[in-house]
Amino acid sequence: MGADYRLLYPSTGFDIIEDMKTLLSFLADPKFSEDHLPSGISLDASRIALIGASGGAYPAMAAGLYAHPKPKALLLLFGMGGDMLGDGWVKPKDGFMPFPGAESVSESYLSYLLERIPAPVSEAPVMLRSDQTIRDDENRIALYMHWWKTGELLDYVVGKPISADLRALPASERICAVPVELRPVILQAHLDAGFPPTCLVHGELDAVVESTESQTTFKRLQELGVKTNMLLVPGAAHALCSPENPAELAVGAEEAYGKGLNFILGEICCSTY
């Protein structure tokens, strides 16, 4: 099942959290099985696993923190949300994101999105185009490329312009400078021992979502005593693709995907079989 959730801009991390809470509550309601599944079939909401890739890791983590019931296990693939106060989020970069088409992205290029507040959207599927760029129909993915370069991505997650103040501080002091009412969307600050068992998979050469996002989450979950596994794929870029050819998987990617799936299958099956 692929679940929709509101995407950043104009929606924020708070909207994503609410959508994931609503999703798990909806699936756990007996009426879901009665109204949407074949007669005699019911969903066991205590055995739901979530998979989140890239930006989709954020809603998966949000469900692990805030949803009731919580998912049984998580598989986070080259995902965002583990180091949201790091320099990669809040500091401007001199160059362009190493992503097909990023060199053409500018504020004026995105004026059709930035100069008016667009309607909330819950899907923007991306595809590899004939010119070898990767984009969705409205090219919303270019917003991420732009905010990555300007160091403003966090502002659009929390819904307030706070990055400029945070980037002047050491990373260890930034969470205390985030207004209390905005902290719920800084997911890394709320990880606890009740977080679901989690497998993280990341490419060692990922420069779109740096592997420190997954490594930071992995280390914190270990400290908390949460069952976790980290699969770092050598020579793999974002989405575990080959750095030389984004249309091909890197060596070891398929094996890492398989191990990640086995991790969550073991968690949703072990309590019954």
Side-chain angles (χ1 to χ4, degrees), residues 88-89 91-93 95-97 99 101-111 113-114 139-153 156:
W89 279 67
K91 285 198 172 183
K93 289 58 164 198
F96 295 101
M97 175 185 283
F99 198 85
E103 65 279 356
S104 65
V105 174
S106 64
E107 191 163 345
S108 59
Y109 173 85
L110 292 169
S111 60
L113 287 171
L114 296 172
N139 204 18
R140 289 176 57 89
I141 194 172
L143 290 169
Y144 174 52
M145 301 177 196
H146 177 61
W147 296 331
W148 178 90
K149 182 176 173 60
T150 61
E152 297 174 307
L153 179 60
Y156 291 89

PDB file of all heavy atoms in Angstrom, residues 88-89 91-93 95-97 99 101-111 113-114 139-153 156:
ATOM      1  N   GLY A  88      24.232  20.374   6.698  1.00  0.00           N
ATOM      2  CA  GLY A  88      23.628  20.010   5.428  1.00  0.00           C
ATOM      3  C   GLY A  88      22.231  20.567   5.248  1.00  0.00           C
ATOM      4  O   GLY A  88      21.772  20.760   4.116  1.00  0.00           O
ATOM      5  N   TRP A  89      21.548  20.842   6.356  1.00  0.00           N
ATOM      6  CA  TRP A  89      20.198  21.401   6.301  1.00  0.00           C
ATOM      7  C   TRP A  89      20.189  22.921   6.376  1.00  0.00           C
ATOM      8  O   TRP A  89      19.383  23.566   5.712  1.00  0.00           O
ATOM      9  CB  TRP A  89      19.361  20.837   7.454  1.00  0.00           C
ATOM     10  CG  TRP A  89      18.807  19.479   7.217  1.00  0.00           C
ATOM     11  CD1 TRP A  89      19.504  18.314   7.104  1.00  0.00           C
ATOM     12  CD2 TRP A  89      17.425  19.128   7.085  1.00  0.00           C
ATOM     13  NE1 TRP A  89      18.645  17.257   6.902  1.00  0.00           N
ATOM     14  CE2 TRP A  89      17.358  17.726   6.900  1.00  0.00           C
ATOM     15  CE3 TRP A  89      16.238  19.841   7.124  1.00  0.00           C
ATOM     16  CZ2 TRP A  89      16.156  17.037   6.740  1.00  0.00           C
ATOM     17  CZ3 TRP A  89      15.040  19.159   6.968  1.00  0.00           C
ATOM     18  CH2 TRP A  89      14.999  17.774   6.774  1.00  0.00           C
ATOM     19  N   LYS A  91      22.986  25.316   6.339  1.00  0.00           N
ATOM     20  CA  LYS A  91      24.033  26.190   5.798  1.00  0.00           C
ATOM     21  C   LYS A  91      23.991  26.235   4.273  1.00  0.00           C
ATOM     22  O   LYS A  91      23.803  25.209   3.615  1.00  0.00           O
ATOM     23  CB  LYS A  91      25.418  25.719   6.261  1.00  0.00           C
ATOM     24  CG  LYS A  91      25.709  26.066   7.714  1.00  0.00           C
ATOM     25  CD  LYS A  91      27.188  26.000   8.016  1.00  0.00           C
ATOM     26  CE  LYS A  91      27.494  26.545   9.411  1.00  0.00           C
ATOM     27  NZ  LYS A  91      28.935  26.569   9.703  1.00  0.00           N
ATOM     28  N   PRO A  92      24.162  27.430   3.678  1.00  0.00           N
ATOM     29  CA  PRO A  92      24.200  27.546   2.215  1.00  0.00           C
ATOM     30  C   PRO A  92      25.417  26.821   1.632  1.00  0.00           C
ATOM     31  O   PRO A  92      26.433  26.645   2.305  1.00  0.00           O
ATOM     32  CB  PRO A  92      24.307  29.053   1.985  1.00  0.00           C
ATOM     33  CG  PRO A  92      23.854  29.685   3.271  1.00  0.00           C
ATOM     34  CD  PRO A  92      24.251  28.730   4.354  1.00  0.00           C
ATOM     35  N   LYS A  93      25.275  26.371   0.386  1.00  0.00           N
ATOM     36  CA  LYS A  93      26.364  25.706  -0.318  1.00  0.00           C
ATOM     37  C   LYS A  93      26.800  26.561  -1.511  1.00  0.00           C
ATOM     38  O   LYS A  93      25.985  27.248  -2.122  1.00  0.00           O
ATOM     39  CB  LYS A  93      25.924  24.347  -0.852  1.00  0.00           C
ATOM     40  CG  LYS A  93      25.690  23.225   0.156  1.00  0.00           C
ATOM     41  CD  LYS A  93      24.694  23.520   1.163  1.00  0.00           C
ATOM     42  CE  LYS A  93      24.211  22.286   1.908  1.00  0.00           C
ATOM     43  NZ  LYS A  93      22.929  22.607   2.570  1.00  0.00           N
ATOM     44  N   GLY A  95      28.167  25.343  -4.389  1.00  0.00           N
ATOM     45  CA  GLY A  95      27.875  24.708  -5.663  1.00  0.00           C
ATOM     46  C   GLY A  95      26.434  24.242  -5.769  1.00  0.00           C
ATOM     47  O   GLY A  95      25.562  24.637  -4.980  1.00  0.00           O
ATOM     48  N   PHE A  96      26.176  23.403  -6.760  1.00  0.00           N
ATOM     49  CA  PHE A  96      24.845  22.860  -6.984  1.00  0.00           C
ATOM     50  C   PHE A  96      24.741  21.462  -6.399  1.00  0.00           C
ATOM     51  O   PHE A  96      25.746  20.754  -6.272  1.00  0.00           O
ATOM     52  CB  PHE A  96      24.530  22.810  -8.488  1.00  0.00           C
ATOM     53  CG  PHE A  96      24.455  24.170  -9.138  1.00  0.00           C
ATOM     54  CD1 PHE A  96      25.517  24.660  -9.878  1.00  0.00           C
ATOM     55  CD2 PHE A  96      23.320  24.955  -8.991  1.00  0.00           C
ATOM     56  CE1 PHE A  96      25.458  25.914 -10.480  1.00  0.00           C
ATOM     57  CE2 PHE A  96      23.249  26.213  -9.577  1.00  0.00           C
ATOM     58  CZ  PHE A  96      24.314  26.684 -10.328  1.00  0.00           C
ATOM     59  N   MET A  97      23.536  21.066  -6.045  1.00  0.00           N
ATOM     60  CA  MET A  97      23.316  19.708  -5.591  1.00  0.00           C
ATOM     61  C   MET A  97      23.733  18.735  -6.700  1.00  0.00           C
ATOM     62  O   MET A  97      23.423  18.963  -7.873  1.00  0.00           O
ATOM     63  CB  MET A  97      21.833  19.495  -5.244  1.00  0.00           C
ATOM     64  CG  MET A  97      21.493  18.064  -4.878  1.00  0.00           C
ATOM     65  SD  MET A  97      19.715  17.836  -4.624  1.00  0.00           S
ATOM     66  CE  MET A  97      19.558  18.572  -2.996  1.00  0.00           C
ATOM     67  N   PHE A  99      22.750  16.433  -8.542  1.00  0.00           N
ATOM     68  CA  PHE A  99      21.501  15.789  -8.944  1.00  0.00           C
ATOM     69  C   PHE A  99      21.185  16.261 -10.359  1.00  0.00           C
ATOM     70  O   PHE A  99      21.357  17.451 -10.661  1.00  0.00           O
ATOM     71  CB  PHE A  99      20.376  16.192  -7.986  1.00  0.00           C
ATOM     72  CG  PHE A  99      19.176  15.286  -8.014  1.00  0.00           C
ATOM     73  CD1 PHE A  99      19.151  14.130  -7.248  1.00  0.00           C
ATOM     74  CD2 PHE A  99      18.077  15.583  -8.800  1.00  0.00           C
ATOM     75  CE1 PHE A  99      18.053  13.291  -7.259  1.00  0.00           C
ATOM     76  CE2 PHE A  99      16.970  14.750  -8.821  1.00  0.00           C
ATOM     77  CZ  PHE A  99      16.958  13.595  -8.048  1.00  0.00           C
ATOM     78  N   GLY A 101      20.031  18.032 -13.391  1.00  0.00           N
ATOM     79  CA  GLY A 101      19.213  19.216 -13.601  1.00  0.00           C
ATOM     80  C   GLY A 101      19.376  20.300 -12.561  1.00  0.00           C
ATOM     81  O   GLY A 101      18.846  21.405 -12.714  1.00  0.00           O
ATOM     82  N   ALA A 102      20.127  20.037 -11.482  1.00  0.00           N
ATOM     83  CA  ALA A 102      20.235  21.001 -10.390  1.00  0.00           C
ATOM     84  C   ALA A 102      20.916  22.298 -10.812  1.00  0.00           C
ATOM     85  O   ALA A 102      20.633  23.367 -10.275  1.00  0.00           O
ATOM     86  CB  ALA A 102      20.990  20.378  -9.216  1.00  0.00           C
ATOM     87  N   GLU A 103      21.806  22.229 -11.787  1.00  0.00           N
ATOM     88  CA  GLU A 103      22.552  23.419 -12.193  1.00  0.00           C
ATOM     89  C   GLU A 103      21.664  24.479 -12.846  1.00  0.00           C
ATOM     90  O   GLU A 103      22.054  25.651 -12.937  1.00  0.00           O
ATOM     91  CB  GLU A 103      23.694  23.037 -13.147  1.00  0.00           C
ATOM     92  CG  GLU A 103      23.242  22.471 -14.476  1.00  0.00           C
ATOM     93  CD  GLU A 103      22.869  20.999 -14.423  1.00  0.00           C
ATOM     94  OE1 GLU A 103      23.037  20.376 -13.343  1.00  0.00           O
ATOM     95  OE2 GLU A 103      22.405  20.470 -15.454  1.00  0.00           O
ATOM     96  N   SER A 104      20.468  24.112 -13.264  1.00  0.00           N
ATOM     97  CA  SER A 104      19.567  25.080 -13.904  1.00  0.00           C
ATOM     98  C   SER A 104      18.577  25.698 -12.924  1.00  0.00           C
ATOM     99  O   SER A 104      17.779  26.562 -13.300  1.00  0.00           O
ATOM    100  CB  SER A 104      18.785  24.402 -15.035  1.00  0.00           C
ATOM    101  OG  SER A 104      17.927  23.395 -14.525  1.00  0.00           O
ATOM    102  N   VAL A 105      18.634  25.287 -11.651  1.00  0.00           N
ATOM    103  CA  VAL A 105      17.653  25.732 -10.658  1.00  0.00           C
ATOM    104  C   VAL A 105      18.104  27.028 -10.003  1.00  0.00           C
ATOM    105  O   VAL A 105      19.241  27.156  -9.554  1.00  0.00           O
ATOM    106  CB  VAL A 105      17.435  24.656  -9.580  1.00  0.00           C
ATOM    107  CG1 VAL A 105      16.520  25.176  -8.474  1.00  0.00           C
ATOM    108  CG2 VAL A 105      16.844  23.398 -10.211  1.00  0.00           C
ATOM    109  N   SER A 106      17.197  27.998  -9.963  1.00  0.00           N
ATOM    110  CA  SER A 106      17.455  29.275  -9.288  1.00  0.00           C
ATOM    111  C   SER A 106      16.135  29.791  -8.741  1.00  0.00           C
ATOM    112  O   SER A 106      15.065  29.249  -9.036  1.00  0.00           O
ATOM    113  CB  SER A 106      18.044  30.293 -10.264  1.00  0.00           C
ATOM    114  OG  SER A 106      17.093  30.598 -11.278  1.00  0.00           O
ATOM    115  N   GLU A 107      16.205  30.857  -7.946  1.00  0.00           N
ATOM    116  CA  GLU A 107      14.980  31.419  -7.395  1.00  0.00           C
ATOM    117  C   GLU A 107      14.060  31.925  -8.495  1.00  0.00           C
ATOM    118  O   GLU A 107      12.843  31.744  -8.434  1.00  0.00           O
ATOM    119  CB  GLU A 107      15.324  32.543  -6.410  1.00  0.00           C
ATOM    120  CG  GLU A 107      14.130  32.996  -5.592  1.00  0.00           C
ATOM    121  CD  GLU A 107      14.541  33.788  -4.361  1.00  0.00           C
ATOM    122  OE1 GLU A 107      15.726  33.741  -3.986  1.00  0.00           O
ATOM    123  OE2 GLU A 107      13.658  34.442  -3.783  1.00  0.00           O
ATOM    124  N   SER A 108      14.647  32.555  -9.523  1.00  0.00           N
ATOM    125  CA  SER A 108      13.803  33.042 -10.625  1.00  0.00           C
ATOM    126  C   SER A 108      13.207  31.880 -11.405  1.00  0.00           C
ATOM    127  O   SER A 108      12.064  31.946 -11.874  1.00  0.00           O
ATOM    128  CB  SER A 108      14.621  33.936 -11.554  1.00  0.00           C
ATOM    129  OG  SER A 108      15.731  33.237 -12.087  1.00  0.00           O
ATOM    130  N   TYR A 109      13.954  30.809 -11.525  1.00  0.00           N
ATOM    131  CA  TYR A 109      13.468  29.606 -12.205  1.00  0.00           C
ATOM    132  C   TYR A 109      12.250  29.039 -11.498  1.00  0.00           C
ATOM    133  O   TYR A 109      11.341  28.486 -12.131  1.00  0.00           O
ATOM    134  CB  TYR A 109      14.600  28.586 -12.254  1.00  0.00           C
ATOM    135  CG  TYR A 109      14.237  27.213 -12.786  1.00  0.00           C
ATOM    136  CD1 TYR A 109      14.241  26.958 -14.152  1.00  0.00           C
ATOM    137  CD2 TYR A 109      13.921  26.167 -11.923  1.00  0.00           C
ATOM    138  CE1 TYR A 109      13.937  25.703 -14.651  1.00  0.00           C
ATOM    139  CE2 TYR A 109      13.609  24.908 -12.410  1.00  0.00           C
ATOM    140  CZ  TYR A 109      13.618  24.686 -13.773  1.00  0.00           C
ATOM    141  OH  TYR A 109      13.309  23.426 -14.263  1.00  0.00           O
ATOM    142  N   LEU A 110      12.204  29.192 -10.163  1.00  0.00           N
ATOM    143  CA  LEU A 110      11.115  28.637  -9.353  1.00  0.00           C
ATOM    144  C   LEU A 110      10.059  29.673  -9.002  1.00  0.00           C
ATOM    145  O   LEU A 110       9.211  29.423  -8.134  1.00  0.00           O
ATOM    146  CB  LEU A 110      11.687  28.041  -8.061  1.00  0.00           C
ATOM    147  CG  LEU A 110      12.544  26.791  -8.240  1.00  0.00           C
ATOM    148  CD1 LEU A 110      13.269  26.458  -6.946  1.00  0.00           C
ATOM    149  CD2 LEU A 110      11.691  25.605  -8.678  1.00  0.00           C
ATOM    150  N   SER A 111      10.085  30.817  -9.674  1.00  0.00           N
ATOM    151  CA  SER A 111       9.164  31.896  -9.311  1.00  0.00           C
ATOM    152  C   SER A 111       7.705  31.476  -9.407  1.00  0.00           C
ATOM    153  O   SER A 111       6.859  31.937  -8.625  1.00  0.00           O
ATOM    154  CB  SER A 111       9.416  33.117 -10.204  1.00  0.00           C
ATOM    155  OG  SER A 111       9.213  32.790 -11.567  1.00  0.00           O
ATOM    156  N   LEU A 113       6.424  28.867  -8.449  1.00  0.00           N
ATOM    157  CA  LEU A 113       6.054  28.200  -7.208  1.00  0.00           C
ATOM    158  C   LEU A 113       6.231  29.091  -5.989  1.00  0.00           C
ATOM    159  O   LEU A 113       5.450  29.029  -5.046  1.00  0.00           O
ATOM    160  CB  LEU A 113       6.889  26.923  -7.021  1.00  0.00           C
ATOM    161  CG  LEU A 113       6.555  25.733  -7.911  1.00  0.00           C
ATOM    162  CD1 LEU A 113       7.613  24.643  -7.744  1.00  0.00           C
ATOM    163  CD2 LEU A 113       5.182  25.171  -7.584  1.00  0.00           C
ATOM    164  N   LEU A 114       7.273  29.935  -5.996  1.00  0.00           N
ATOM    165  CA  LEU A 114       7.618  30.712  -4.815  1.00  0.00           C
ATOM    166  C   LEU A 114       6.859  32.031  -4.697  1.00  0.00           C
ATOM    167  O   LEU A 114       6.696  32.553  -3.593  1.00  0.00           O
ATOM    168  CB  LEU A 114       9.127  30.996  -4.808  1.00  0.00           C
ATOM    169  CG  LEU A 114      10.035  29.766  -4.688  1.00  0.00           C
ATOM    170  CD1 LEU A 114      11.492  30.160  -4.887  1.00  0.00           C
ATOM    171  CD2 LEU A 114       9.839  29.087  -3.340  1.00  0.00           C
ATOM    172  N   ASN A 139       7.771  20.153 -11.424  1.00  0.00           N
ATOM    173  CA  ASN A 139       9.168  20.297 -11.011  1.00  0.00           C
ATOM    174  C   ASN A 139       9.303  20.791  -9.575  1.00  0.00           C
ATOM    175  O   ASN A 139      10.182  21.607  -9.251  1.00  0.00           O
ATOM    176  CB  ASN A 139       9.934  21.221 -11.957  1.00  0.00           C
ATOM    177  CG  ASN A 139      11.440  20.941 -11.938  1.00  0.00           C
ATOM    178  OD1 ASN A 139      11.872  19.877 -11.491  1.00  0.00           O
ATOM    179  ND2 ASN A 139      12.232  21.874 -12.409  1.00  0.00           N
ATOM    180  N   ARG A 140       8.438  20.280  -8.706  1.00  0.00           N
ATOM    181  CA  ARG A 140       8.528  20.618  -7.294  1.00  0.00           C
ATOM    182  C   ARG A 140       9.829  20.099  -6.684  1.00  0.00           C
ATOM    183  O   ARG A 140      10.320  20.644  -5.698  1.00  0.00           O
ATOM    184  CB  ARG A 140       7.326  20.045  -6.534  1.00  0.00           C
ATOM    185  CG  ARG A 140       6.007  20.749  -6.821  1.00  0.00           C
ATOM    186  CD  ARG A 140       4.857  20.040  -6.097  1.00  0.00           C
ATOM    187  NE  ARG A 140       5.099  19.980  -4.672  1.00  0.00           N
ATOM    188  CZ  ARG A 140       4.732  20.916  -3.789  1.00  0.00           C
ATOM    189  NH1 ARG A 140       4.074  21.982  -4.205  1.00  0.00           N
ATOM    190  NH2 ARG A 140       4.993  20.778  -2.513  1.00  0.00           N
ATOM    191  N   ILE A 141      10.374  19.037  -7.255  1.00  0.00           N
ATOM    192  CA  ILE A 141      11.625  18.497  -6.722  1.00  0.00           C
ATOM    193  C   ILE A 141      12.738  19.542  -6.770  1.00  0.00           C
ATOM    194  O   ILE A 141      13.681  19.510  -5.968  1.00  0.00           O
ATOM    195  CB  ILE A 141      12.040  17.229  -7.497  1.00  0.00           C
ATOM    196  CG1 ILE A 141      13.144  16.481  -6.738  1.00  0.00           C
ATOM    197  CG2 ILE A 141      12.469  17.548  -8.922  1.00  0.00           C
ATOM    198  CD1 ILE A 141      13.474  15.132  -7.326  1.00  0.00           C
ATOM    199  N   ALA A 142      12.608  20.511  -7.685  1.00  0.00           N
ATOM    200  CA  ALA A 142      13.614  21.576  -7.770  1.00  0.00           C
ATOM    201  C   ALA A 142      13.595  22.466  -6.540  1.00  0.00           C
ATOM    202  O   ALA A 142      14.595  23.133  -6.243  1.00  0.00           O
ATOM    203  CB  ALA A 142      13.390  22.405  -9.033  1.00  0.00           C
ATOM    204  N   LEU A 143      12.472  22.503  -5.815  1.00  0.00           N
ATOM    205  CA  LEU A 143      12.430  23.260  -4.565  1.00  0.00           C
ATOM    206  C   LEU A 143      13.465  22.720  -3.583  1.00  0.00           C
ATOM    207  O   LEU A 143      14.158  23.487  -2.904  1.00  0.00           O
ATOM    208  CB  LEU A 143      11.034  23.197  -3.947  1.00  0.00           C
ATOM    209  CG  LEU A 143       9.924  23.957  -4.669  1.00  0.00           C
ATOM    210  CD1 LEU A 143       8.562  23.578  -4.077  1.00  0.00           C
ATOM    211  CD2 LEU A 143      10.145  25.463  -4.569  1.00  0.00           C
ATOM    212  N   TYR A 144      13.544  21.390  -3.492  1.00  0.00           N
ATOM    213  CA  TYR A 144      14.532  20.797  -2.593  1.00  0.00           C
ATOM    214  C   TYR A 144      15.938  21.156  -3.030  1.00  0.00           C
ATOM    215  O   TYR A 144      16.791  21.494  -2.206  1.00  0.00           O
ATOM    216  CB  TYR A 144      14.350  19.275  -2.540  1.00  0.00           C
ATOM    217  CG  TYR A 144      15.432  18.566  -1.741  1.00  0.00           C
ATOM    218  CD1 TYR A 144      15.730  18.982  -0.443  1.00  0.00           C
ATOM    219  CD2 TYR A 144      16.165  17.518  -2.273  1.00  0.00           C
ATOM    220  CE1 TYR A 144      16.723  18.355   0.295  1.00  0.00           C
ATOM    221  CE2 TYR A 144      17.152  16.880  -1.549  1.00  0.00           C
ATOM    222  CZ  TYR A 144      17.427  17.302  -0.263  1.00  0.00           C
ATOM    223  OH  TYR A 144      18.415  16.698   0.463  1.00  0.00           O
ATOM    224  N   MET A 145      16.210  21.113  -4.342  1.00  0.00           N
ATOM    225  CA  MET A 145      17.540  21.482  -4.836  1.00  0.00           C
ATOM    226  C   MET A 145      17.877  22.924  -4.461  1.00  0.00           C
ATOM    227  O   MET A 145      19.015  23.236  -4.080  1.00  0.00           O
ATOM    228  CB  MET A 145      17.598  21.310  -6.358  1.00  0.00           C
ATOM    229  CG  MET A 145      17.301  19.918  -6.854  1.00  0.00           C
ATOM    230  SD  MET A 145      17.328  19.861  -8.668  1.00  0.00           S
ATOM    231  CE  MET A 145      16.499  18.290  -8.973  1.00  0.00           C
ATOM    232  N   HIS A 146      16.888  23.799  -4.568  1.00  0.00           N
ATOM    233  CA  HIS A 146      17.091  25.222  -4.251  1.00  0.00           C
ATOM    234  C   HIS A 146      17.322  25.422  -2.752  1.00  0.00           C
ATOM    235  O   HIS A 146      18.266  26.115  -2.349  1.00  0.00           O
ATOM    236  CB  HIS A 146      15.873  26.013  -4.717  1.00  0.00           C
ATOM    237  CG  HIS A 146      15.925  27.471  -4.389  1.00  0.00           C
ATOM    238  ND1 HIS A 146      16.904  28.310  -4.872  1.00  0.00           N
ATOM    239  CD2 HIS A 146      15.111  28.242  -3.606  1.00  0.00           C
ATOM    240  CE1 HIS A 146      16.701  29.543  -4.417  1.00  0.00           C
ATOM    241  NE2 HIS A 146      15.628  29.519  -3.647  1.00  0.00           N
ATOM    242  N   TRP A 147      16.487  24.808  -1.928  1.00  0.00           N
ATOM    243  CA  TRP A 147      16.621  24.978  -0.478  1.00  0.00           C
ATOM    244  C   TRP A 147      17.879  24.304   0.042  1.00  0.00           C
ATOM    245  O   TRP A 147      18.458  24.745   1.033  1.00  0.00           O
ATOM    246  CB  TRP A 147      15.390  24.444   0.234  1.00  0.00           C
ATOM    247  CG  TRP A 147      14.135  25.199  -0.104  1.00  0.00           C
ATOM    248  CD1 TRP A 147      14.027  26.514  -0.458  1.00  0.00           C
ATOM    249  CD2 TRP A 147      12.811  24.681  -0.133  1.00  0.00           C
ATOM    250  NE1 TRP A 147      12.722  26.849  -0.697  1.00  0.00           N
ATOM    251  CE2 TRP A 147      11.942  25.740  -0.504  1.00  0.00           C
ATOM    252  CE3 TRP A 147      12.248  23.433   0.123  1.00  0.00           C
ATOM    253  CZ2 TRP A 147      10.560  25.576  -0.628  1.00  0.00           C
ATOM    254  CZ3 TRP A 147      10.879  23.263  -0.004  1.00  0.00           C
ATOM    255  CH2 TRP A 147      10.052  24.334  -0.374  1.00  0.00           C
ATOM    256  N   TRP A 148      18.311  23.235  -0.595  1.00  0.00           N
ATOM    257  CA  TRP A 148      19.584  22.595  -0.237  1.00  0.00           C
ATOM    258  C   TRP A 148      20.721  23.601  -0.446  1.00  0.00           C
ATOM    259  O   TRP A 148      21.594  23.739   0.400  1.00  0.00           O
ATOM    260  CB  TRP A 148      19.784  21.366  -1.120  1.00  0.00           C
ATOM    261  CG  TRP A 148      21.060  20.617  -0.920  1.00  0.00           C
ATOM    262  CD1 TRP A 148      21.287  19.580  -0.060  1.00  0.00           C
ATOM    263  CD2 TRP A 148      22.310  20.832  -1.623  1.00  0.00           C
ATOM    264  NE1 TRP A 148      22.588  19.132  -0.170  1.00  0.00           N
ATOM    265  CE2 TRP A 148      23.234  19.878  -1.123  1.00  0.00           C
ATOM    266  CE3 TRP A 148      22.724  21.719  -2.609  1.00  0.00           C
ATOM    267  CZ2 TRP A 148      24.552  19.803  -1.591  1.00  0.00           C
ATOM    268  CZ3 TRP A 148      24.034  21.653  -3.078  1.00  0.00           C
ATOM    269  CH2 TRP A 148      24.928  20.693  -2.566  1.00  0.00           C
ATOM    270  N   LYS A 149      20.689  24.311  -1.566  1.00  0.00           N
ATOM    271  CA  LYS A 149      21.748  25.273  -1.878  1.00  0.00           C
ATOM    272  C   LYS A 149      21.694  26.487  -0.962  1.00  0.00           C
ATOM    273  O   LYS A 149      22.736  26.987  -0.517  1.00  0.00           O
ATOM    274  CB  LYS A 149      21.625  25.715  -3.344  1.00  0.00           C
ATOM    275  CG  LYS A 149      22.698  26.691  -3.803  1.00  0.00           C
ATOM    276  CD  LYS A 149      22.575  26.997  -5.284  1.00  0.00           C
ATOM    277  CE  LYS A 149      23.542  28.100  -5.715  1.00  0.00           C
ATOM    278  NZ  LYS A 149      24.946  27.760  -5.472  1.00  0.00           N
ATOM    279  N   THR A 150      20.481  26.970  -0.646  1.00  0.00           N
ATOM    280  CA  THR A 150      20.352  28.182   0.172  1.00  0.00           C
ATOM    281  C   THR A 150      20.380  27.885   1.673  1.00  0.00           C
ATOM    282  O   THR A 150      20.466  28.822   2.475  1.00  0.00           O
ATOM    283  CB  THR A 150      19.040  28.915  -0.144  1.00  0.00           C
ATOM    284  OG1 THR A 150      17.924  28.059   0.157  1.00  0.00           O
ATOM    285  CG2 THR A 150      18.986  29.323  -1.609  1.00  0.00           C
ATOM    286  N   GLY A 151      20.307  26.620   2.065  1.00  0.00           N
ATOM    287  CA  GLY A 151      20.290  26.276   3.481  1.00  0.00           C
ATOM    288  C   GLY A 151      18.996  26.650   4.176  1.00  0.00           C
ATOM    289  O   GLY A 151      18.992  26.982   5.364  1.00  0.00           O
ATOM    290  N   GLU A 152      17.876  26.557   3.450  1.00  0.00           N
ATOM    291  CA  GLU A 152      16.580  26.963   3.993  1.00  0.00           C
ATOM    292  C   GLU A 152      15.586  25.806   4.139  1.00  0.00           C
ATOM    293  O   GLU A 152      14.425  26.042   4.471  1.00  0.00           O
ATOM    294  CB  GLU A 152      15.954  28.023   3.094  1.00  0.00           C
ATOM    295  CG  GLU A 152      16.743  29.316   3.002  1.00  0.00           C
ATOM    296  CD  GLU A 152      16.153  30.277   1.988  1.00  0.00           C
ATOM    297  OE1 GLU A 152      15.952  29.862   0.829  1.00  0.00           O
ATOM    298  OE2 GLU A 152      15.883  31.425   2.359  1.00  0.00           O
ATOM    299  N   LEU A 153      16.016  24.597   3.894  1.00  0.00           N
ATOM    300  CA  LEU A 153      15.079  23.471   3.921  1.00  0.00           C
ATOM    301  C   LEU A 153      14.350  23.358   5.258  1.00  0.00           C
ATOM    302  O   LEU A 153      13.134  23.138   5.305  1.00  0.00           O
ATOM    303  CB  LEU A 153      15.821  22.162   3.616  1.00  0.00           C
ATOM    304  CG  LEU A 153      14.974  20.896   3.637  1.00  0.00           C
ATOM    305  CD1 LEU A 153      13.847  20.968   2.607  1.00  0.00           C
ATOM    306  CD2 LEU A 153      15.845  19.667   3.383  1.00  0.00           C
ATOM    307  N   TYR A 156      11.111  25.364   5.861  1.00  0.00           N
ATOM    308  CA  TYR A 156       9.864  24.899   5.268  1.00  0.00           C
ATOM    309  C   TYR A 156       9.312  23.668   5.984  1.00  0.00           C
ATOM    310  O   TYR A 156       8.132  23.359   5.859  1.00  0.00           O
ATOM    311  CB  TYR A 156      10.070  24.628   3.779  1.00  0.00           C
ATOM    312  CG  TYR A 156      10.288  25.915   3.022  1.00  0.00           C
ATOM    313  CD1 TYR A 156      11.569  26.446   2.862  1.00  0.00           C
ATOM    314  CD2 TYR A 156       9.221  26.647   2.531  1.00  0.00           C
ATOM    315  CE1 TYR A 156      11.776  27.647   2.198  1.00  0.00           C
ATOM    316  CE2 TYR A 156       9.407  27.852   1.871  1.00  0.00           C
ATOM    317  CZ  TYR A 156      10.694  28.346   1.708  1.00  0.00           C
ATOM    318  OH  TYR A 156      10.889  29.546   1.063  1.00  0.00           O
TER     319      TYR A 156
END
